Amino acid sequence: MKLTSEKLPKNPSYTSLSHFAAKNAKIFQWRKEKTDHYSHANLVDKALQLLKERIRRGDTMAYFLRGQLYFEEGWYEEALEQFEEIKEKDHQATYQLGVMYYDGLGTATDSEKGVEYMKKIVDSPCPKARHLKFAAAYNLGRAYYEGKGVKRSDKEAERLWLFAADNGNPKASVKAQSILGLYYSTKEPRELEKAFYWHSEACGNGNLESQGALGLMYFYGQGIRQDTEAALHCLREAAERGNVYAQGNLVEYYYKMKFFTKCVAFSKRIADYDEVHDIPMIAQVTDCLPEFIIRGMALASFYHARCLQLGLGVTKDEATAKRYYSKACRLNPALADELHTLLIHQRI
């Protein structure tokens, strides 16, 4: 299970970059006068000009805001340079450097350096680092789980994630809460009641991945009494919010319930996601793990192929069916093999 880093937690004392330009009085005036130039690129350029002016006037906060703007725009080399310049004075810059070195953003991957920066945040006694500690602990837990930059240790990963999750505190690391749900449902032996608890906490705090996971746990009675109605509620809501794995499982449900027309329409849209959006982009927008996004697309591809092969809810088309079967195999060979085995035994 390949994990992703926790995003920089919001600090109320810092201006949100996504609203920085829109909330600035000068920008409002500029928008009124230059409505034809109101575009993302122009707003970013204007924000950079204003930040440069604030830096010239000695505004220390503006240094970090400029680095964060570079980061959000994907200008990682510029962001890295800016954060390195202020790392001794700004804990948020230190945090971002930890993420960037660990994930190799704007620089060669250096897991040990990434871990070093995250430990600085976790161990810092400074009140200004307090809002970063839970997220940094999650990232450290990820390093121990993956064995990068430190010796691999599930026990230490679990300890750090439990600290980061902070008993389900919505202001702690919600990603840690969700990952604990995944961890307890996949470790040996599995601890499904713990998995259900943590997915419930994360879902209650808005986590999309856990909402889909809860749907499946209700569906199969894992860690909780089986409840199809609750399962479909979770899966449908998660699917509407963009959880591709939940969407793929709904495709499977529609097929098994013989809602073939609905299955065909829904499955084609999901199976063809990668023709419109790349998987890393979907993962970034939804904050869902790429592994489960791919699994959802593979499910949709396989059942869409089956409908085309048999002419269920759609005109029979064996050539196109083969293309979607191949896509399922390419996306997730193990899942495709598992589904093919069920097909051979006439269970699909």
Side-chain angles (χ1 to χ4, degrees):
M1 183 166 61
K2 184 174 175 56
L3 307 183
T4 54
S5 293
E6 177 78 285
K7 295 177 182 177
L8 179 77
K10 292 181 180 179
N11 184 343
S13 66
Y14 277 66
T15 305
S16 170
L17 279 173
S18 60
H19 299 101
F20 174 79
K23 288 187 175 182
N24 188 280
K26 292 181 181 178
I27 292 289
F28 274 127
Q29 185 62 33
W30 170 73
R31 283 173 58 184
K32 291 175 183 176
E33 296 173 357
K34 304 280 187 178
T35 53
D36 55 324
H37 294 295
Y38 179 35
S39 67
H40 177 77
N42 284 322
L43 282 177
V44 169
D45 183 61
K46 192 69 175 178
L48 286 171
Q49 291 177 37
L50 291 169
L51 287 170
K52 184 177 180 180
E53 176 59 24
R54 286 174 60 176
I55 289 170
R56 190 189 65 77
R57 295 200 306 263
D59 184 345
T60 55
M61 187 184 295
Y63 283 96
F64 171 76
L65 289 173
R66 184 166 67 178
Q68 185 64 9
L69 181 54
Y70 289 147
F71 184 89
E72 291 181 0
E73 290 300 307
W75 303 338
Y76 295 124
E77 291 182 4
E78 292 86 346
L80 190 79
E81 183 179 349
Q82 183 73 83
F83 291 144
E84 283 284 7
E85 185 180 334
I86 61 173
K87 65 184 179 184
E88 300 302 328
K89 300 177 182 178
D90 194 303
H91 295 290
Q92 297 198 130
T94 302
Y95 181 94
Q96 289 295 61
L97 286 171
V99 170
M100 296 180 78
Y101 279 113
Y102 192 90
D103 289 336
L105 302 175
T107 181
T109 300
D110 189 338
S111 302
E112 290 184 2
K113 200 167 186 178
V115 166
E116 178 190 341
Y117 281 126
M118 287 302 165
K119 283 184 175 178
K120 281 185 178 180
I121 297 297
V122 172
D123 297 336
S124 175
C126 181
K128 291 183 179 180
R130 189 177 299 133
H131 72 291
L132 301 168
K133 285 182 180 287
F134 293 128
Y138 162 81
N139 288 335
L140 270 183
R142 175 195 175 192
Y144 277 101
Y145 181 79
E146 296 177 338
K148 295 180 179 179
V150 288
K151 184 178 179 181
R152 191 182 189 285
S153 171
D154 285 354
K155 185 176 181 179
E156 186 62 9
E158 181 183 4
R159 183 189 72 80
L160 285 161
W161 286 339
L162 286 169
F163 168 78
D166 194 35
N167 296 314
N169 177 2
K171 294 182 180 179
S173 171
V174 177
K175 186 185 281 283
Q177 296 162 13
S178 181
I179 290 301
L180 281 168
L182 288 171
Y183 173 71
Y184 286 124
S185 63
T186 55
K187 70 186 286 286
E188 291 296 338
R190 295 192 297 173
E191 298 182 68
L192 294 176
E193 289 186 3
K194 285 185 179 180
F196 181 82
Y197 169 80
W198 283 112
H199 277 313
S200 296
E201 292 298 306
C203 179
N205 292 327
N207 186 273
L208 180 54
E209 188 110 70
S210 282
Q211 187 174 34
L214 274 182
L216 292 175
M217 296 189 84
Y218 274 120
F219 204 90
Y220 295 107
Q222 297 177 333
I224 190 68
R225 182 175 55 84
Q226 189 174 22
D227 186 335
T228 303
E229 185 177 344
L232 290 173
H233 175 77
C234 284
L235 287 173
R236 283 169 177 156
E237 195 166 287
E240 287 174 5
R241 293 176 60 204
N243 185 318
V244 179
Y245 189 42
Q247 293 169 356
N249 278 279
L250 281 174
V251 165
E252 185 173 59
Y253 172 76
Y254 294 145
Y255 180 90
K256 289 181 177 178
M257 294 300 293
K258 299 184 179 181
F259 301 153
F260 297 124
T261 302
K262 194 168 188 177
C263 178
V264 168
F266 200 38
S267 62
K268 187 178 190 310
R269 180 163 58 87
I270 300 160
D272 292 342
Y273 269 157
D274 60 343
E275 295 180 9
V276 182
H277 310 287
D278 59 43
I279 290 168
M281 179 58 71
I282 297 172
Q284 183 179 352
V285 171
T286 62
D287 202 21
C288 291
L289 294 173
E291 175 183 337
F292 290 99
I293 294 171
I294 292 169
R295 191 174 177 86
M297 290 173 62
L299 274 170
S301 297
F302 189 92
Y303 281 103
H304 190 67
R306 186 62 172 159
C307 288
L308 285 166
Q309 181 186 14
L310 300 178
L312 301 173
V314 67
T315 303
K316 189 173 181 178
D317 186 340
E318 293 191 4
T320 305
K322 286 181 181 178
R323 182 163 64 83
Y324 279 100
Y325 276 134
S326 296
K327 188 168 193 175
C329 291
R330 185 175 69 254
L331 285 166
N332 192 320
L335 176 61
D337 184 62
E338 179 185 324
L339 292 169
H340 184 65
T341 300
L342 292 175
L343 190 153
I344 291 172
H345 290 88
Q346 298 183 340
R347 293 175 61 186
I348 293 180

